[in-house]
Amino acid sequence: MYTNIIIPVEIFSDSPAKRELSSAQYFSNINAGHVHLLAVIPNSVYLRAKKHFVDTKRLKKVLSTLAANRLAELTRRLVLPAGFVHRHIHFGDLNDAIRLLAIKKQADIVILDKGMDSRFSPQSEMDLSGFLQKNEIPVLLL
């Protein structure tokens, strides 16, 4: 049923994503599915931070490290066999990140927090609404 599950996560939030992780855990255990944790660093965050960093390569490394640490923390919360949790980091638009990963991994479902799109720019909110209406992959909104 659901063997490739995508969970976009907010790296700058203290929200533990309990509902998304428990749903992914459930689907993964039933179907021996793989969970793909997707950290998206929005363009707006990158562009704002870029104003304060001279070295943009270092900025990307810092943001990637923050994302990797957040994904590692969430991975520890999932009780799944080794190799069943995968971590992905994307710079850019939430909609594009989900779409690209869904195509690449042939995703069966996206588990998304209802408030996830409100943490992104208004343009991303519109794009996400369009994505939810147009996409062919089931989206579980929690």
Side-chain angles (χ1 to χ4, degrees), residues 33-112:
H34 290 256
V35 176
H36 299 273
L37 297 174
L38 173 63
V40 180
I41 301 168
N43 287 330
S44 58
V45 170
Y46 179 70
L47 293 175
R48 274 194 307 258
K50 192 174 170 182
K51 292 177 184 176
H52 304 288
F53 275 76
V54 175
D55 186 359
T56 55
K57 286 183 183 180
R58 176 148 169 75
L59 172 60
K60 272 200 170 194
K61 186 174 181 174
V62 167
L63 291 172
S64 293
T65 301
L66 284 172
N69 291 342
R70 175 79 169 132
L71 292 176
E73 172 193 333
L74 293 174
T75 300
R76 286 190 293 273
R77 294 182 187 177
L78 288 167
V79 182
L80 294 172
F84 277 74
V85 180
H86 311 277
R87 302 177 214 163
H88 309 274
I89 299 172
H90 179 84
F91 283 82
D93 184 62
L94 175 64
N95 178 19
D96 291 341
I98 294 171
R99 182 178 292 119
L100 290 172
L101 188 59
I103 291 168
K104 183 178 178 183
K105 298 299 179 181
Q106 298 178 344
D108 299 308
I109 190 167
V110 176
I111 300 176
L112 189 62

